[in-house]
Every structure is written in structure tokens, then in C-alpha cells.
Amino acid sequence: MAFTEKDFYAGHFNPKDYLDTYYNFSSGKENKNAFLFFFLKNLHQAFILDDIKGDTLIDIGSGPTIYQFLSACESFREIVATDYCDQNREEMQRWLRKEPGAFDWSPVVKYVCELEGNREKWEEKEEKVRRAIKQVLKCDVTQASPLGPVALPPADCLMSSLCLEGACKDLPTYRSALKNISSLVKPGGHLILGSVLKETYYKVGQQPFSGLYLEWASVEEALKEAGFAVKLLKETKIDLPLSETDAKAFGIVVAQKCQS
């Protein structure tokens, strides 16, 4: 399908439809969350077991979700969430402010607490995430300064999942976007990248959005070009109906920004 421009995202991306489509934890839908639990296990591995930690983590293209912060909040004092769409940032703020009608992440929070050895501490975990997220900023990965006029000190860790393949129309734009966001992390700092592989579209409700077709070779090459050394690369198959996406796999990369 034709590339979905960012202005179309701003006008047509519905965060509630997105959450209902891909993060529905009602009975019988567990299978469709397989990629999410794969990602959470690997974030637990990276932040808790492999001890990637520091003062600040910046998440690029957070969308309306908070699951990516559940392990990170144990390893970083401050988290900065970002997204291009106003409505996604507002949806996240609803959860942060505990507003009525905010999305219920408790099944995911309990799962991560179980990985950490205490499922009963899920409410404490939610509060820890709320305290850790210090800012929710607008971000455009196609710009040389992705955070616009906001100047932040280089972060210890950069994280991004399910963002670049939606924001980039082709591989040169993807490579450029990785270079743009690499400016936000300090030399020696880490990048944790979650990517959908071999996808050309996904749907939110009935609305289709384009996806950049990526294979591992392209991702690794782009990371190297942006000054990162890949430390870990894993993938899992995606088994979602074609009415939602044609993606074949979901992968996670842990990379480190080169010192020079």
C-alpha cells in the first residue's frame, strides 16, 4: 500500500482502536499477545538480568502504551516517553493520571511482576512507572533533532518499538531516522529496538497503515551505519490474521553506541 504520511497518522490514528486490536487481554485472545510477551521477557532480560541501567532512558515512538517501561523503571531513574501523535501522548497521560476509562494494563503488569518473582506487587509497579515517567514529549524521527526545540542531556539508553517501520517510507529514510535518534544517546549507551519484520501494512480498527518491509540484514546494516554495535538479536514468529497485519515476525535488538 502507499506510504502513510505523518499528517494522516495525526488525523486518523485512533489509540483506543489500536489498544483494543493489539493489546486485548480478554479470554481466548492470549495467543495474539505472543509477540508482546516475547518482548517483555527480553526487556526483563536486558534491564533486570543483564543489568542495563543508568539515569535516563528515552523511548522513541511510545504510542499509547506503557508496557515497555515495566522493567525499565527498575533500572532508570528517569524515563522520557515520546510520540508524534498528540492523541497517543494524551492516551498515555490518561493512564499516568489514573483517569476513568484509561486502558487497563494490569494483566501485563502482573505478568512482568511474575517474571521478577512477585506477582502481588503489581500495584506498586504501576506507581513506580508513573513516578519514573518525567516527560511525555512530541517526537519526529525524520527530523535531525527528533525532539524539536527540547534539549535533553544524552540518555544512557534509547528504546524504540513498532515506530520506525511506520514512520519511514523507505530504507534510506529508515537509516537516516536511526542516525537522528542516535544523537539522543551517549557513546557507550544502549539502544533496544523492537521491530516488526517483513510487514507491508497493519490495521487499526478498519484503518490500514503502511509498514516498511524490513529484514534483519537491513536493520543490522542501518544500525552499523548509525554507529551502533549489535550485541543481541532475537526474533519470534507473528501469528496474526491478515485482517490485522501481514507481518511475519517480531524481533528485538540490543545494541551499544560506539565510543568514537
Side-chain angles (χ1 to χ4, degrees):
M1 63 174 287
F3 174 64
T4 306
E5 300 286 350
K6 56 191 173 189
D7 288 345
F8 190 87
Y9 263 95
H12 296 85
F13 190 91
N14 185 316
K16 289 193 182 298
D17 285 350
Y18 174 73
L19 292 168
D20 190 54
T21 303
Y22 296 102
Y23 303 96
N24 190 321
F25 307 109
S26 56
S27 181
K29 300 248 180 134
E30 291 82 359
N31 183 48
K32 71 179 295 179
N33 305 127
F35 88 90
L36 171 63
F37 294 121
F38 166 82
F39 192 46
L40 292 170
K41 274 183 198 164
N42 282 286
L43 290 180
H44 171 74
Q45 177 72 41
F47 293 129
I48 308 299
L49 305 180
D50 295 342
D51 208 25
I52 292 176
K53 63 185 179 186
D55 287 327
T56 310
L57 176 142
I58 300 174
D59 185 44
I60 299 295
S62 307
T65 66
I66 59 92
Y67 64 83
Q68 63 272 38
F69 306 129
L70 294 170
S71 292
C73 74
E74 303 295 338
S75 299
F76 293 87
R77 202 166 43 83
E78 295 189 2
I79 291 172
V80 178
T82 73
D83 200 74
Y84 182 78
C85 294
D86 297 346
Q87 63 270 34
N88 282 342
R89 299 196 309 278
E90 183 52 37
E91 187 64 36
M92 183 189 290
Q93 293 277 19
R94 278 194 195 101
W95 184 85
L96 291 172
R97 295 189 296 251
K98 300 198 232 183
E99 287 183 10
F103 191 75
D104 177 16
W105 287 103
S106 60
V108 186
V109 183
K110 288 172 184 172
Y111 174 80
V112 173
C113 287
E114 207 166 285
L115 289 177
E116 292 174 6
N118 194 340
R119 186 182 171 89
E120 301 311 310
K121 287 202 164 183
W122 69 272
E123 287 172 300
E124 286 175 40
K125 170 74 84 177
E126 286 195 342
E127 291 312 307
K128 194 160 190 175
V129 172
R130 288 187 174 100
R131 285 195 304 273
I133 297 174
K134 303 298 186 191
Q135 298 184 76
V136 182
L137 302 175
K138 190 175 180 78
C139 174
D140 183 348
V141 299
T142 65
Q143 301 300 307
S145 299
L147 302 180
V150 179
L152 295 178
D156 299 289
C157 185
L158 203 57
M159 182 162 59
S160 186
S161 177
L162 309 175
C163 168
L164 299 181
E165 54 272 50
C168 301
K169 65 181 176 185
D170 52 29
L171 284 173
T173 314
Y174 180 82
R175 289 194 289 269
S176 174
L178 267 174
K179 286 177 187 165
N180 293 341
I181 66 171
S182 79
S183 67
L184 300 172
V185 64
K186 61 178 66 166
H190 286 85
L191 168 68
I192 296 178
L193 187 66
S195 257
V196 172
L197 302 171
K198 301 181 181 177
E199 174 192 68
T200 66
Y201 73 88
Y202 69 100
K203 286 188 177 181
V204 174
Q206 294 305 306
Q207 182 62 59
F209 293 87
S210 63
L212 176 62
Y213 187 95
L214 287 173
E215 294 187 351
W216 273 132
S218 312
V219 175
E220 286 190 90
E221 191 181 323
L223 284 165
K224 190 176 176 184
E225 216 177 278
F228 290 98
V230 173
K231 294 172 71 177
L232 175 86
L233 192 153
K234 286 185 185 175
E235 74 170 78
T236 186
K237 285 199 170 80
I238 285 180
D239 185 21
L240 290 173
L242 289 173
S243 59
E244 292 177 8
T245 180
D246 64 348
K248 303 295 185 293
F250 177 82
I252 184 170
V253 181
V254 177
Q256 192 163 20
K257 189 172 178 180
C258 301
Q259 293 282 359
S260 56

